[in-house]
Structure formats: C-alpha cells, structure tokens
Amino acid sequence: MGLEVGFPLVSARTLYGVLPRLDLGLGVDSVYGLMIEPRASVRFTALDSPLASLAVVVDGGRAFFLRPPETEEKGARYLSGRRDWNVAPGLVFSLQGAGPRSVRPYMDLRCLLSFDTHPTQ
C-alpha cells in the first residue's frame, strides 16, 4: 500500500500478490479534486534476487475532470498530462543492501499514453 502527496498529484494505491511473481492492484489519483482517476495495476516481477529486483508494470484508468476541456486552458489536464483514458507501462528496478534495515533505492520508469474523447483542448 502506498500514499503519495505531491504536486500536482495525490495518489493512493494498494497491490496484492495473487501469484509469487504477479501482483494486482487498485488506486486513485487526484489533482486535489480537479481530476479524479481510479486506476487498475498489474505488476510482474521478472527478476527477484536478494540484492536486486526488476518488475514490469502497467497501470491505467479513466480520469474524471471537474471542468470540461473547452473551458480549461491550464487546469488539471495541463498540470497532470492526463486525458480521459490513460495507460502507463513501465519498469521498476530496485537494489537491496545486505542488512535487514538497508536503504532500498529504486527507479520507476514510465511512459504515459493518454487518449482523449474530447479533442477540443
């Protein structure tokens, strides 16, 4: 489970391991009420060793905006890069130290693909 509070997005997510290498999840992203996007996630762990892990991830959802695109110049669509339908495939790589309380740095690389059903922006 995770919660991110930042700018421009606030996010809450949860993932559940259904198989040893496969996680499914649900979440929600918001631009502080100007946009709300429920999201579904899939994560497949391709490499899992004591020192490193690599996972292939895909998440996507449908965004609901407070204002229609024809009335918005630099609102939630501009700030978030999101449109009506969004898919974000990517890779997550992390390293783990030998100790039980070692720092675990990670890199999450994503590509946001957005589809708009209101092409008036």
Side-chain angles (χ1 to χ4, degrees):
M1 291 195 299
L3 177 67
E4 295 177 27
V5 178
F7 181 79
L9 293 175
V10 176
S11 299
R13 301 195 191 290
T14 184
L15 286 167
Y16 184 75
V18 294
L19 294 173
R21 292 183 175 261
L22 182 67
D23 301 333
L24 300 178
L26 295 173
V28 64
D29 289 352
S30 180
V31 180
Y32 296 93
L34 298 175
M35 174 207 78
I36 295 176
E37 181 183 10
R39 297 176 73 82
S41 302
V42 176
R43 175 185 169 117
F44 177 75
T45 304
L47 169 71
D48 193 15
S49 73
L51 298 177
S53 71
L54 176 68
V56 177
V57 294
V58 175
D59 64 352
R62 167 81 164 96
F64 300 94
F65 294 92
L66 187 62
R67 298 178 61 190
E70 55 271 2
T71 64
E72 186 179 271
E73 274 190 44
K74 297 207 174 177
R77 288 171 180 83
Y78 174 80
L79 288 174
S80 68
R82 308 279 174 91
R83 298 297 183 259
D84 293 337
W85 293 95
N86 304 286
V87 177
L91 297 172
V92 178
F93 177 74
S94 66
L95 297 172
Q96 174 72 41
R101 294 187 173 228
S102 298
V103 174
R104 186 168 194 146
Y106 73 96
M107 183 182 322
D108 189 344
L109 301 171
R110 302 285 179 110
C111 175
L112 178 63
L113 305 171
S114 298
F115 309 96
D116 207 346
T117 59
H118 298 95
T120 60
Q121 174 105 12

